[in-house]
């Protein structure tokens, strides 16, 4: 069920009218529902439990880049979640939020020496290595620290995830991972390196996948490789299938997380029984969007209505710097008026104040609104705040978590003075 619904004509987050949040903290403000967040996490955790997995044999590593607010990370850490990070900064966030570094996996094509040192010093669970050059650098850095770095190779199964090209990552032409055909050789190299410990295999083929067929196809390719590696005496202890399950933005019909995990575990169990004498293999997931995407909205106020010759514009106080997805991917976000009005709607493009034609949040939406009304931009919990910028010297939005009828400010609005406080004039 959605935790953003109308009560007495006013859109609420859980039991709290969004109007109260705007009154207290202003706009634009990201609003997250704690219940939605925990429910989405539980869909993964419960499916793991249902298929006989415990903490040792399945781990959800929440993708920090989708929403990295400390309060969000802390709520998930308290549920036992692990974390998938893509930078040293994200590791520091996880630690600050009380996350367990031993449940952290480190993805990304460009890990620096400093980032490797930081992650090694905290004994993270695994480095998802994305190239031969990275493997050698990691071996060197681990050697300097007198450590062995646990690694999995991010393999590119060359499966088409059938999603937007910008969020498709598992095809041959993508910059991510190593080619399936080269993986065996790279594993052989890795197995010989003194400061590398091969522990797993991983892939992440894309984001906003509505169907799990490409994920199961990728799983089959990983299984094939694990068997070859086992035959060569290279033991693989965990299999990381990545994230990527989609959410409802418009008319999307994403696969239910429980159904997908059911099919995945059934396949894995059948394989382990047939080929590995039922020896378990730990399964890792890296979900981001499916946990936090529909747990958040962006609350914004209509500044002006502008009626043009061919178009009507609702100019709001949120912009592309707050929510980049429409400008970047032409992403579609639902828009709802917080207060329902009588009368007939108009068609509007919902745009921000930033000086770019790309600064729009939604196009051709039927809305019954007046100046000063509040709008909720839906499904904004993932890749919203984390992709925000200070373009046009706009302070980042505030972030609020709603729990029942309580609101908690988990990040105050940035003040413009803070944005240039570190800048210096020439003498
Ligand atoms: C972004 C990312 C994810 C999360 O993807 P979602 O589609 O948000 O679930 C997982 N793994 C890696 C390596 C990523 O880069």
């Amino acid at each position: 069920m959605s935790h953003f619904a109308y009560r007495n004509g006013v859109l609420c987050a859980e039991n709290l009218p969004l109007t109260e949040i705007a009154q207290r903290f202003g706009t634009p403000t990201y609003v997250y529902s704690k219940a939605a967040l925990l429910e989405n996490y539980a869909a993964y955790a419960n499916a793991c439990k249902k298929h006989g997995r415990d903490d040792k044999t399945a781990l959800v590593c929440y993708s920090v880049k989708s929403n990295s607010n400390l309060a969000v990370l802390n709520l998930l850490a308290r549920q036992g979640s692990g974390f998938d990070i893509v930078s040293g900064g994200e590791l520091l966030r996880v630690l600050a939020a009380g996350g367990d570094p031993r449940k952290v996996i480190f993805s990304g094509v460009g890990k620096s020496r400093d980032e490797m040192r930081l992650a090694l010093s905290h004994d993270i669970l695994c480095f998802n290595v994305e190239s031969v050059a990275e493997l050698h650098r990691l071996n060197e850095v681990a050697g300097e620290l007198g450590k062995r770095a646990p690694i999995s190779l991010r393999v590119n199964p060359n499966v088409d995830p059938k999603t937007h090209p910008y969020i498709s990552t598992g095809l041959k032409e993508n910059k991510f991972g190593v080619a399936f055909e080269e993986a065996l050789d790279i594993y052989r190299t890795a197995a010989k390196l003194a400061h590398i410990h091969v522990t797993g295999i991983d892939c992440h083929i894309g984001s906003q996948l509505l169907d799990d067929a490409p994920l199961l196809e990728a799983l089959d390719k990983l299984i094939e490789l694990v068997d070859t590696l086992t035959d060569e005496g290279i033991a693989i202890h965990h299999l990381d299938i990545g994230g990527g399950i989609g959410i409802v933005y418009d008319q999307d019909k994403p696969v239910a997380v429980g159904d997908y995990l059911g099919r995945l575990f059934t396949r894995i169990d059948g394989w382990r029984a047939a080929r590995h004498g039922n020896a378990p293999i730990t399964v890792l997931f890296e979900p981001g969007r499916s946990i936090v995407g529909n747990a958040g909205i962006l609350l914004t106020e209509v500044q002006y209505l502008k009626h043009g010759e061919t178009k009507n514009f609702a100019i709001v106080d949120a912009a592309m710097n707050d929510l980049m997805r429409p400008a970047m991917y032409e992403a579609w976000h639902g828009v709802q008026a917080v207060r329902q009005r009588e009368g007939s709607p108009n068609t509007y493009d919902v745009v921000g104040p930033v000086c770019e034609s790309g600064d729009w949040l939604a196009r051709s939406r039927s809305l019954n609104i007046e100046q000063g009304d509040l709008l909720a931009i839906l499904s904004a919990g993932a890749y919203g705040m984390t992709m925000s910028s200070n373009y046009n010297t706009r302070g980042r939005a505030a972030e609020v978590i709603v729990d029942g009828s309580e609101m908690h400010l988990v990040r105050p609005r940035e003040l413009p003075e803070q944005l240039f406080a570190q800048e210096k004039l020439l003498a």
Side-chain angles (χ1 to χ4, degrees), residues 30 298 319-327 333 361 377 380 383-384:
Y30 276 100
L298 175 58
M320 64 185 289
N321 76 295
D322 299 301
L323 181 64
M324 175 118 100
R325 298 186 69 258
H333 284 265
L361 298 172
I377 314 292
Y383 307 106

Side-chain angles (χ1 to χ4, degrees), residues 44 61 63 65-66 84 86 107-108 128 130 154 169 176 202-204 206-209 242-246 286-291 382-383:
Y44 282 91
C61 294
S63 173
K65 75 176 191 287
S66 61
D84 176 32
V86 293
S107 304
N128 291 347
E130 305 218 15
R154 177 165 175 183
T169 53
F176 301 100
D202 88 283
C203 72
H204 171 70
S207 203
Q208 184 57 12
L209 275 63
I245 291 294
E286 302 172 351
R289 191 188 311 270
S290 52
I291 288 187
Y383 307 106

